Amino acid sequence: MLTYFVDHWWTMLATAALLALFGAALIVRAAGRGPYPRLCERLIWWVSCRYVRVVHNLVVVGSEHLPERAKLADPDRRPLIVIANHTAGVDPILVATQTPFVIRWMMADDMRVPWLGWFWKWQRIIFVRREQRDGLSVRNALAELAAGGVVGIFPEGGLERPPQEIMPFLPGVGLLIRKSKARVLPVWIDGTPQVDPAWGSLWRRSRSRVEFGEVIDYEGSGLSAADIAADLRSRYIAWTGWPANDTPPDPASTERASVKKPSRVRTRREPSTEVEGDASCPDAAA
């Protein structure tokens, strides 16, 4: 056996190299279907798609409500804001891997951790200061929307604590929608790891669920910014069947407090088809 390997080492090496090239070609081809323009970004996106499938067993519902990338590129189209309830640090990754467009997220500045600096830079996160009125972050978000980008917001302003309760929606989300005249894509997240600290959810296995709702258009509604925020919250309460929690999140405890995950109870308003795996990622179930 050893003699065979010695005599044919070059053949085995060439075969291994060809298999490696073939595998790399498949990955590049799959990554090429992602929403990012550069190859390195597509590869990171591809790895993220595998991550949410393997670690979080992601189930996706309502992908038919996602606006098509071609329509987003239309210069006459309206801006789009993605809003989602906030359950864990992994939330933005779960959502971003399922959309055919890049989302630029708004995030509290005190959630920034140094070891994820490369990720913040890559995602071009718009950081928001909780302790003061942050006009700069609003201007950056409006500029992104005006330039044709998509902005993502967690309107509760912190993690849902206790879990599966809808916190108050900050009026700033209504202001951004009203000023930009953007359409709203609502997202419901459930089943993520409830761990301390929030970013610990990146390493815990789960059976997470992301559901996209129908796009909402507030143009011409006459609602104020506060009314828009209140209307969105009431829609989430009706959609999820979860109770309202009128206590604003405490920034000091929201991200660090240990929580006990309650039994998962869903109230479904209408039947929908669940897709296990990724709706936007390569090789996803249709």
Side-chain angles (χ1 to χ4, degrees), residues 18-34:
L18 287 173
L19 289 175
L21 288 173
F22 179 72
L26 290 179
I27 292 175
V28 170
R29 180 180 178 184
R33 297 160 61 182

Side-chain angles (χ1 to χ4, degrees), residues 17-18 25 40 54 111 148 196 261 265:
L18 287 173
C40 60
V54 173
M111 278 287 290
D196 173 29
K261 185 175 180 180
V265 178

